[in-house]
Amino acid sequence: MSEHPERLAGVSEVDCTGLQALVTGSTSGIGRAAALALGRLGADVIVHGRDPEAGAAVVEELAGTGADATFVQADFADVDAVRDLAAAVREETEGLDLLVNNAGGLFRDGRLTDAGIEYTFHVNHLSPYLLTADLLDQLSEGARVVTTASGAHKGASLNLERVQGSDPYTGFTAYSHSKLANVLFARELARRLDVAGREVTSNSIHPGAIPGSGFARFLPGPLPGLFQRLEALPGVTSVADGAAEILFVGVSPRTAEVSGRYFFGQQARTPSAAARDGEAARRLWTESARMLDIEEPLAKRDQNPIAADEGTDPSEP
Ligand SMILES: NC(=O)c1ccc[n+]([C@@H]2O[C@H](COP(=O)([O-])OP(=O)(O)OC[C@H]3O[C@@H](n4cnc5c(N)ncnc54)[C@H](OP(=O)(O)O)[C@@H]3O)[C@@H](O)[C@H]2O)c1
C-alpha cells in the first residue's frame, strides 16, 4: 500500500485510544486497510469476515501496532451467524464507538438464502441491517455507523417484491439494488436515531471503483482479470483511498456532527433520486424487519424528517 489511509483522510493526528470498533468485511480490501489504520490510531478493533486464516493474519498485524484485536467469523448469508456476531461484539466491548458495515460484494450467485431472500440483497443489506439492529443498545453515545454503499446504487429503484421472488435479481443488477438499499438504510437509520434522541450518527460512503481490493474475485466471466488490470492505470482509486473514505466519515472531527449523508471523495454528495426517497427508505426499514421476522427497530418514526439534500451537494464526478 503506497500511502496510509489515515494520512489520505487527514486523521493521522486523531487519537483513537480506547475507541472500540467493529469493521465488517475486514479480512480483505478496504475493510482490512481501514481496520489496520484504526489500530495504528490506537483503536481496539473487531475484525470480521468468513475466512479465518485471513482474519487471524489481520489480527496479528493489528497486534503488531499495539491494538487489542479479535476476529469473529460470520457468513452474512446466515441469519444466526449474524446474530452470533452481534452477541460476540456485546461480550467483547463495553460500548461500541464505531460500527463499519462494510462486508459485501458483487456475487455471481443468483440463489435465495435459507431465509428465502435474494443472496446479494441478504448479504449486502439485510445482514448489516440485522447486525445494526442487534447492536443499537451497544452503541455508545457519540458513536458513528458507517455503511459502505457504492456509486453503483445509481440506476436502481427499490423493488422488495423481486428480492423475495422466484425470479430474483442477479449479478450487477442485484448489486446495484443492494447498494441503493445501503444508502436508504444509512439515511433512515440516521433519521430514526435522531427521533429517538440518540447521539449516534449514520452515513454511507462510496469508496470509489477499486480494482486492487478482493472485489473482483466475485465478478462473473472474464471480468475479474479485466477489472484487476485497471489497477495499473494512473489515477485509479487505491485500496488506501477507499479505506480513507471510511476513516474520514468514521473518525474525522470534520464529520462528527454529520448524519444521514452519502460521501464520496471526502465530501457529502447528492445520491440518486431513488436514494433520496424517504418513503422508500421507510418501506425498506419496515420490510427488512418483516423479512427477518424481528420487531421493527427504532419503531417511533413519524417525526423529524432528515432535510432533503437534493441540489445542495455536488454530485459524483
Ligand atoms: N472495490 C470496489 O470497486 C468497490 C466499489 C464500491 C463499493 N465497494 C464495496 O466495498 C466493500 C468492501 O469491498 P472490497 O472492495 O474491499 O472487496 P473485498 O476485498 O472482496 O472485501 C470484501 C469483504 O467482505 C467480506 N464478505 C464478502 N462476502 C461475505 C459474506 N457472505 N459474509 C461475510 N463477509 C463477507 C469478505 O470476507 P471473506 O473474504 O473473509 O468472506 C471481505 O472481508 C463492499 O461492500 C463492496 O460492495 C467496493
Side-chain angles (χ1 to χ4, degrees):
M1 190 179 302
S2 51
E3 268 238 77
H4 277 164
E6 58 269 39
R7 262 200 297 277
L8 295 169
V11 297
S12 302
E13 302 307 318
V14 174
D15 182 4
C16 293
T17 308
L19 184 135
Q20 303 191 64
L22 164 62
V23 184
T24 72
S26 46
T27 50
S28 167
I30 65 170
R32 176 179 172 279
L36 293 173
L38 286 166
R40 285 190 294 271
L41 295 174
D44 300 331
V45 186
I46 298 175
V47 175
H48 156 265
R50 286 170 302 180
D51 180 342
E53 271 176 37
V58 179
V59 166
E60 201 178 308
E61 264 194 81
L62 277 164
T65 68
D68 190 354
T70 44
F71 169 68
V72 184
Q73 182 186 37
D75 185 343
F76 270 21
D78 178 345
V79 171
D80 291 338
V82 174
R83 301 215 93 156
D84 289 347
L85 168 61
V89 172
R90 285 198 298 271
E91 200 152 302
E92 283 288 326
T93 60
E94 281 149 33
L96 193 63
D97 305 298
L98 176 61
L99 167 57
V100 182
N101 285 317
N102 169 73
L106 195 168
F107 307 104
R108 293 183 181 93
D109 209 324
R111 74 186 161 101
L112 301 181
T113 63
D114 289 348
I117 306 297
E118 185 274 313
Y119 184 89
T120 307
F121 184 81
H122 191 147
V123 170
N124 289 1
H125 161 69
L126 214 49
S127 286
Y129 172 91
L130 176 62
L131 180 67
T132 308
D134 273 4
L135 289 174
L136 280 173
D137 291 343
Q138 193 68 10
L139 291 170
S140 320
E141 291 308 282
R144 305 189 196 188
V145 181
V146 181
T147 300
T148 304
S150 170
H153 78 272
K154 293 179 179 180
S157 55
L158 195 67
N159 185 339
L160 295 175
E161 286 70 48
R162 198 149 173 210
V163 298
Q164 302 167 87
S166 54
D167 177 26
Y169 291 119
T170 55
F172 188 79
T173 315
Y175 181 70
S176 173
H177 183 254
S178 72
K179 292 291 153 182
L180 169 66
N182 288 157
V183 185
L184 289 169
F185 158 74
R187 181 186 167 87
E188 181 66 3
L189 174 62
R191 194 183 69 78
R192 289 179 185 239
L193 286 165
D194 190 38
V195 170
R198 296 285 306 271
E199 293 290 320
V200 176
T201 65
S202 163
N203 293 288
S204 61
I205 63 148
H206 169 45
I210 306 168
S213 74
F215 184 80
R217 68 197 146 131
F218 302 123
L219 295 176
L223 289 177
L226 290 173
F227 192 56
Q228 270 164 340
R229 250 179 267 156
L230 293 177
E231 209 192 348
L233 297 179
V236 84
T237 313
S238 69
V239 170
D241 289 320
E245 199 73 33
I246 292 175
L247 293 182
F248 180 72
V249 179
V251 299
S252 171
R254 289 168 61 194
T255 52
E257 306 296 330
V258 183
S259 198
R261 311 308 291 271
Y262 166 75
F263 282 83
F264 174 55
Q266 300 180 23
Q267 276 193 63
R269 307 273 183 175
T270 303
S272 70
R276 300 194 305 269
D277 181 342
E279 210 28 65
R282 280 163 224 228
R283 191 154 34 89
L284 173 68
W285 189 276
T286 308
E287 283 298 300
S288 297
R290 199 191 52 71
M291 287 178 211
L292 288 160
D293 198 19
I294 60 168
E295 218 169 281
E296 187 178 321
L298 297 167
K300 192 178 152 207
R301 60 175 188 269
D302 294 331
Q303 304 154 28
N304 298 0
I306 295 259
D309 48 6
E310 241 167 308
T312 55
D313 300 315
S315 299
E316 278 168 46

